[in-house]
mmCIF file of all heavy atoms in Angstrom:
data_model
loop_
_atom_site.group_PDB
_atom_site.id
_atom_site.type_symbol
_atom_site.label_atom_id
_atom_site.label_comp_id
_atom_site.label_asym_id
_atom_site.label_seq_id
_atom_site.Cartn_x
_atom_site.Cartn_y
_atom_site.Cartn_z
ATOM 1 N N SER A 200 -58.513 -53.044 -18.561
ATOM 2 C CA SER A 200 -59.893 -52.610 -18.277
ATOM 3 C C SER A 200 -60.860 -53.065 -19.366
ATOM 4 O O SER A 200 -62.075 -53.070 -19.147
ATOM 5 C CB SER A 200 -59.962 -51.090 -18.103
ATOM 6 O OG SER A 200 -59.489 -50.442 -19.257
ATOM 7 N N ALA A 201 -60.318 -53.464 -20.525
ATOM 8 C CA ALA A 201 -61.188 -53.912 -21.628
ATOM 9 C C ALA A 201 -61.405 -55.431 -21.620
ATOM 10 O O ALA A 201 -62.127 -55.956 -22.472
ATOM 11 C CB ALA A 201 -60.571 -53.488 -22.964
ATOM 12 N N ARG A 202 -60.815 -56.127 -20.673
ATOM 13 C CA ARG A 202 -60.986 -57.583 -20.648
ATOM 14 C C ARG A 202 -62.459 -57.931 -20.372
ATOM 15 O O ARG A 202 -63.104 -57.276 -19.530
ATOM 16 C CB ARG A 202 -60.113 -58.215 -19.552
ATOM 17 C CG ARG A 202 -58.625 -58.113 -19.851
ATOM 18 C CD ARG A 202 -57.815 -58.702 -18.716
ATOM 19 N NE ARG A 202 -57.944 -60.143 -18.611
ATOM 20 C CZ ARG A 202 -57.280 -61.024 -19.344
ATOM 21 N NH1 ARG A 202 -56.406 -60.598 -20.235
ATOM 22 N NH2 ARG A 202 -57.466 -62.318 -19.180
ATOM 23 N N PRO A 203 -62.982 -58.961 -21.043
ATOM 24 C CA PRO A 203 -64.387 -59.326 -20.817
ATOM 25 C C PRO A 203 -64.702 -59.553 -19.332
ATOM 26 O O PRO A 203 -65.762 -59.137 -18.843
ATOM 27 C CB PRO A 203 -64.559 -60.614 -21.636
ATOM 28 C CG PRO A 203 -63.518 -60.507 -22.715
ATOM 29 C CD PRO A 203 -62.357 -59.764 -22.108
ATOM 30 N N ALA A 204 -63.775 -60.170 -18.602
ATOM 31 C CA ALA A 204 -64.023 -60.431 -17.163
ATOM 32 C C ALA A 204 -64.126 -59.122 -16.385
ATOM 33 O O ALA A 204 -64.926 -59.001 -15.455
ATOM 34 C CB ALA A 204 -62.909 -61.304 -16.584
ATOM 35 N N THR A 205 -63.312 -58.133 -16.772
ATOM 36 C CA THR A 205 -63.361 -56.840 -16.076
ATOM 37 C C THR A 205 -64.715 -56.182 -16.323
ATOM 38 O O THR A 205 -65.345 -55.648 -15.401
ATOM 39 C CB THR A 205 -62.225 -55.913 -16.586
ATOM 40 O OG1 THR A 205 -60.981 -56.603 -16.484
ATOM 41 C CG2 THR A 205 -62.166 -54.628 -15.779
ATOM 42 N N ILE A 206 -65.155 -56.246 -17.571
ATOM 43 C CA ILE A 206 -66.426 -55.602 -17.923
ATOM 44 C C ILE A 206 -67.583 -56.279 -17.166
ATOM 45 O O ILE A 206 -68.419 -55.615 -16.562
ATOM 46 C CB ILE A 206 -66.623 -55.622 -19.451
ATOM 47 C CG1 ILE A 206 -65.575 -54.674 -20.078
ATOM 48 C CG2 ILE A 206 -68.031 -55.206 -19.850
ATOM 49 C CD1 ILE A 206 -65.343 -54.840 -21.552
ATOM 50 N N LYS A 207 -67.559 -57.617 -17.126
ATOM 51 C CA LYS A 207 -68.644 -58.329 -16.430
ATOM 52 C C LYS A 207 -68.613 -58.043 -14.932
ATOM 53 O O LYS A 207 -69.643 -57.782 -14.316
ATOM 54 C CB LYS A 207 -68.493 -59.839 -16.653
ATOM 55 C CG LYS A 207 -69.095 -60.307 -17.939
ATOM 56 C CD LYS A 207 -69.317 -61.810 -17.888
ATOM 57 C CE LYS A 207 -69.612 -62.329 -19.271
ATOM 58 N NZ LYS A 207 -68.933 -63.571 -19.591
ATOM 59 N N ALA A 208 -67.413 -58.087 -14.344
ATOM 60 C CA ALA A 208 -67.316 -57.945 -12.882
ATOM 61 C C ALA A 208 -67.676 -56.536 -12.425
ATOM 62 O O ALA A 208 -68.063 -56.342 -11.277
ATOM 63 C CB ALA A 208 -65.911 -58.301 -12.413
ATOM 64 N N SER A 209 -67.539 -55.563 -13.324
ATOM 65 C CA SER A 209 -67.784 -54.177 -12.903
ATOM 66 C C SER A 209 -69.222 -53.729 -13.181
ATOM 67 O O SER A 209 -69.545 -52.562 -12.972
ATOM 68 C CB SER A 209 -66.779 -53.245 -13.585
ATOM 69 O OG SER A 209 -66.905 -53.321 -14.984
ATOM 70 N N GLU A 210 -70.078 -54.662 -13.607
ATOM 71 C CA GLU A 210 -71.447 -54.263 -13.988
ATOM 72 C C GLU A 210 -72.217 -53.631 -12.841
ATOM 73 O O GLU A 210 -73.040 -52.749 -13.051
ATOM 74 C CB GLU A 210 -72.223 -55.474 -14.538
ATOM 75 C CG GLU A 210 -71.965 -55.664 -16.023
ATOM 76 C CD GLU A 210 -72.459 -57.020 -16.550
ATOM 77 O OE1 GLU A 210 -73.024 -57.808 -15.774
ATOM 78 O OE2 GLU A 210 -72.232 -57.273 -17.755
ATOM 79 N N GLY A 211 -71.929 -54.046 -11.605
ATOM 80 C CA GLY A 211 -72.702 -53.529 -10.462
ATOM 81 C C GLY A 211 -72.108 -52.276 -9.842
ATOM 82 O O GLY A 211 -72.604 -51.786 -8.832
ATOM 83 N N MET A 212 -71.018 -51.762 -10.444
ATOM 84 C CA MET A 212 -70.363 -50.582 -9.852
ATOM 85 C C MET A 212 -71.073 -49.291 -10.265
ATOM 86 O O MET A 212 -71.724 -49.246 -11.309
ATOM 87 C CB MET A 212 -68.903 -50.506 -10.324
ATOM 88 C CG MET A 212 -68.055 -51.618 -9.793
ATOM 89 S SD MET A 212 -66.414 -51.602 -10.523
ATOM 90 C CE MET A 212 -65.602 -50.366 -9.515
ATOM 91 N N LEU A 213 -70.901 -48.260 -9.459
ATOM 92 C CA LEU A 213 -71.461 -46.941 -9.803
ATOM 93 C C LEU A 213 -70.340 -46.147 -10.440
ATOM 94 O O LEU A 213 -69.596 -45.460 -9.759
ATOM 95 C CB LEU A 213 -71.961 -46.237 -8.534
ATOM 96 C CG LEU A 213 -73.033 -46.959 -7.734
ATOM 97 C CD1 LEU A 213 -73.286 -46.256 -6.419
ATOM 98 C CD2 LEU A 213 -74.332 -47.046 -8.541
ATOM 99 N N LEU A 214 -70.203 -46.286 -11.769
ATOM 100 C CA LEU A 214 -69.037 -45.699 -12.435
ATOM 101 C C LEU A 214 -69.334 -44.392 -13.150
ATOM 102 O O LEU A 214 -68.436 -43.798 -13.723
ATOM 103 C CB LEU A 214 -68.419 -46.708 -13.417
ATOM 104 C CG LEU A 214 -67.686 -47.883 -12.775
ATOM 105 C CD1 LEU A 214 -67.255 -48.881 -13.823
ATOM 106 C CD2 LEU A 214 -66.505 -47.422 -11.948
#
Side-chain angles (χ1 to χ4, degrees):
S200 58
R202 292 178 69 81
T205 307
I206 291 164
K207 276 198 193 137
S209 60
E210 274 167 1
M212 293 173 82
L213 301 172
L214 288 174

